Every structure is written in structure tokens, then in C-alpha cells.
Amino acid sequence: MKLVVAVVQDKDSSKLAQNLVNANIRATKLASTGGFLHAGNTTFLIGTDDDKVDEVKHIIQQSCKAREQVVAPMSPMGASMESYIPYPVNVSVGGATVFVLDIEQFDQF
Amino acid sequence: MKLVVAVVQDKDSSKLAQNLVNANIRATKLASTGGFLHAGNTTFLIGTDDDKVDEVKHIIQQSCKAREQVVAPMSPMGASMESYIPYPVNVSVGGATVFVLDIEQFDQF
Amino acid sequence: MKLVVAVVQDKDSSKLAQNLVNANIRATKLASTGGFLHAGNTTFLIGTDDDKVDEVKHIIQQSCKAREQVVAPMSPMGASMESYIPYPVNVSVGGATVFVLDIEQFDQF
Ligand code: NI
Ligand code: NI
Ligand code: NI
């Protein structure tokens, strides 16, 4: 058994959760904080058989891969002047950091 | 040293926390989300000596084991019609998913 | 690669986060609960090369090491009489619990 720990952006977390459910893979979502542009990250804990690790990583990659996104300028009312961007910009969103750990024992009660 | 990662239902988490304190076992509770019937899960991180792993798993099993529970019908006012159940039903609650990982180094500062 | 799991007190978590950023070390902060005096803990997940584990532990120690702190008496208005302390006391704050785990695979998508 392996434990896959995946740190993804909040905006990708419901897509990843749905894709894991569709593949019959059980996961636990942890609340987490921090990340780009003050958006939050979500951490998934996924226990899986050794021979399904590649499938799990493929699902994570498909659900969360880094991509460009155009961000419309925000009103200066809702943001500090310092962070005000007066024109649309491309920002990189998505992406996932994935750790695979060995599980010595696995139990369900 | 081993790291025991236990994912349990919120409703069992205070009982598990209390039973770990009674056994002098230190644990960290992480906030987590997801699970059956839209109830949340809680994840415990428990660092323990190799020879106490069985005791820790026994405490988790006693605190959280899966069992049947009668759920009274909810008023349709507070729920979508789709999920309205007009008679009491048995649902399975509790249960724990437990991963045991090897710790290479352990420090307290 | 190693995964460093560090459980620290909330009051040290922004200092630790800043010191990790200054050292170019990426970390994920998980929300967590529990700990001394009903204050919360924060858990950091830090993926790092094997030869940087000592540096990461040094940064954690410098950011979070246990120390004495004088706590002024709280008004009995805001607290139960039971916990009312009518004179300043030294309490031990800070400290960190650190687990180092081996990572079998590490990916960024
Ligand atoms: Ni294995
Ligand atoms: Ni060990
Ligand atoms: Ni390694």
C-alpha cells in the first residue's frame, strides 16, 4: 500500500474529488491554507494499492495540471492599491505537488 | 518510531481524543472535510514508539468502530425533497481508516 | 526526498512560514486544532531534498523553540472562574514536534 499526499489548488479540488470518486478511489480532503494570490490549497490523502499509484497520479495530473488563465482587473475598491492590476493578465493556475509514501500497515475498522 | 494517520468521523473525534489523552498518547488533530452523509471527517496524526502501535490501533478501533444507528426522518423543510426520508432508517456510522508510516527522524524542540 | 511534518503553535506559524520563504523552501500549511491552553496548532508539510533536512529542522527550531512567556492575569469576565489566574504567570510556549518521512516518489504537475 502507498499513501499519496497531493497538495492542489482549491479551485481544482472539487474536480479532483469527483474524478477520484468516478474511479472508485477513496480520498480524504484536509483543509489547508496558503498558496498563490492568497488562494488556498487543499491536501488530499489517498491510500492505494501499489499497482494503482500511476492511475492516481494520472487522475491528479488531469484534474489539476498547471495552465494559463486570464484574470480580469479587480476593482481597487476591494483590494489594496498595491495589488491593483488595471488590465487583464495571464496568471499560471493549477498544478499539484504529489508525495508518495510507503504504508507499513493499513486498517479499516 | 511510527506515524499513525487515522481518518475518523467528526462524531467520534472527541471520544478518540479523550481516550488517547487517558492513555498518555499525544496526537494532533487536523481539520478535514468530506465523508458520508455530508458529515465531516477528522484526521489524527499520532507519533508513537514501534511497540505501542498495536495499543494505538486498539484505542482507535474502540473509539470509532463502525456501527448501525437509527436516523429519524428529517423534516423536508431543512433538506431538499430529493434527500427527504419519511421513515427512520439504519445507517452505518463510525469506522476509521488507519495508515501506519515509518518515521526516519523524530524531534521535539 | 524527505517529507518533514512539523506541528507548531499557531503563534509561531507565520514566523516559520516567513523563514521558510526566505530560505526558498516551499511548504504547505494545514489547518489543525488542539494543543496547550486551548490555543491551536498548525501543521506544515515540507518536501525537501535529503541533504536539506538538517537546514529545515534548524529553521523550525529557530522559529518555534519552546520558551517561557509571562501571561498577564485575564479578567474573570471573559473566562470561567475556574480558569481565572489573578497574577502574572510564566507559561511555556512554542516548541515543535517534527517527523521526517521518506518519500518514494515526488512529482509536480
Ligand atoms: Ni506498500
Ligand atoms: Ni521506526
Ligand atoms: Ni528519499
Side-chain angles (χ1 to χ4, degrees):
Chain A
M1 290 283 295
K2 302 295 175 194
L3 179 62
V4 180
V5 179
V7 181
V8 310
Q9 288 185 24
D10 285 347
K11 65 171 62 182
D12 291 329
S13 71
S14 58
K15 185 167 44 162
L16 175 55
Q18 188 58 55
N19 289 341
L20 290 168
V21 166
N22 291 349
N24 258 317
I25 294 163
R26 298 194 60 161
T28 297
K29 259 182 10 177
L30 303 179
S32 54
T33 56
F36 307 124
L37 291 177
H38 300 264
N41 290 328
T42 301
T43 299
F44 286 76
L45 301 182
I46 306 161
T48 184
D49 287 330
D50 294 31
D51 58 4
K52 282 197 136 188
V53 168
D54 283 349
E55 183 188 346
V56 169
K57 292 205 296 187
H58 185 74
I59 292 171
I60 296 167
Q61 184 169 26
Q62 290 305 306
S63 307
C64 310
K65 66 185 165 195
R67 68 254 175 212
E68 296 285 301
Q69 184 176 291
V70 175
V71 172
M74 292 180 291
S75 153
M77 303 299 284
S80 70
M81 288 306 290
E82 197 181 5
S83 67
Y84 174 57
I85 303 167
Y87 46 86
V89 290
N90 281 325
V91 295
S92 180
V93 298
T97 301
V98 180
F99 308 109
V100 180
L101 310 173
D102 190 50
I103 296 174
E104 299 205 335
Q105 300 173 45
F106 175 74
D107 296 276
Q108 282 189 294
F109 298 124
Chain B
M1 290 284 296
K2 301 297 176 193
L3 179 64
V4 180
V5 179
V7 181
V8 310
Q9 286 185 24
D10 285 347
K11 65 171 62 182
D12 292 329
S13 71
S14 58
K15 186 167 43 162
L16 175 55
Q18 187 59 55
N19 288 341
L20 289 169
V21 166
N22 292 348
N24 257 319
I25 294 163
R26 297 194 63 162
T28 298
K29 261 184 6 181
L30 304 179
S32 54
T33 58
F36 307 124
L37 292 177
H38 299 264
N41 290 329
T42 301
T43 299
F44 286 76
L45 301 182
I46 307 162
T48 185
D49 286 331
D50 294 31
D51 58 4
K52 282 197 135 190
V53 167
D54 283 349
E55 183 188 346
V56 169
K57 292 207 294 189
H58 184 74
I59 291 172
I60 296 167
Q61 184 169 24
Q62 291 305 308
S63 307
C64 310
K65 67 185 164 196
R67 69 247 175 217
E68 297 285 301
Q69 184 177 289
V70 176
V71 173
M74 291 180 293
S75 153
M77 304 298 283
S80 71
M81 288 307 288
E82 196 182 3
S83 67
Y84 174 57
I85 302 167
Y87 45 84
V89 291
N90 282 324
V91 295
S92 180
V93 297
T97 300
V98 180
F99 309 109
V100 180
L101 310 172
D102 191 51
I103 297 173
E104 299 204 336
Q105 300 173 45
F106 174 73
D107 296 276
Q108 282 189 293
F109 297 124
Chain C
M1 290 283 296
K2 302 296 176 193
L3 179 62
V4 180
V5 179
V7 181
V8 309
Q9 287 186 23
D10 285 347
K11 65 171 63 183
D12 291 328
S13 71
S14 57
K15 187 167 43 164
L16 176 55
Q18 188 59 56
N19 289 341
L20 290 169
V21 166
N22 291 349
N24 258 317
I25 294 163
R26 297 194 62 162
T28 297
K29 260 184 7 181
L30 304 178
S32 55
T33 56
F36 307 124
L37 291 177
H38 299 263
N41 290 328
T42 301
T43 299
F44 285 77
L45 301 182
I46 306 161
T48 184
D49 287 331
D50 294 31
D51 58 5
K52 281 197 137 190
V53 168
D54 283 349
E55 183 188 347
V56 169
K57 293 206 295 188
H58 185 73
I59 291 171
I60 296 167
Q61 184 168 25
Q62 291 305 307
S63 306
C64 310
K65 66 185 164 195
R67 68 245 176 220
E68 297 284 304
Q69 184 176 291
V70 176
V71 173
M74 291 180 294
S75 154
M77 303 298 284
S80 71
M81 287 308 287
E82 197 181 4
S83 67
Y84 175 57
I85 301 167
Y87 46 85
V89 291
N90 281 325
V91 295
S92 180
V93 297
T97 301
V98 180
F99 309 110
V100 180
L101 310 172
D102 191 50
I103 297 173
E104 299 205 335
Q105 300 172 45
F106 174 75
D107 295 276
Q108 282 189 292
F109 297 123

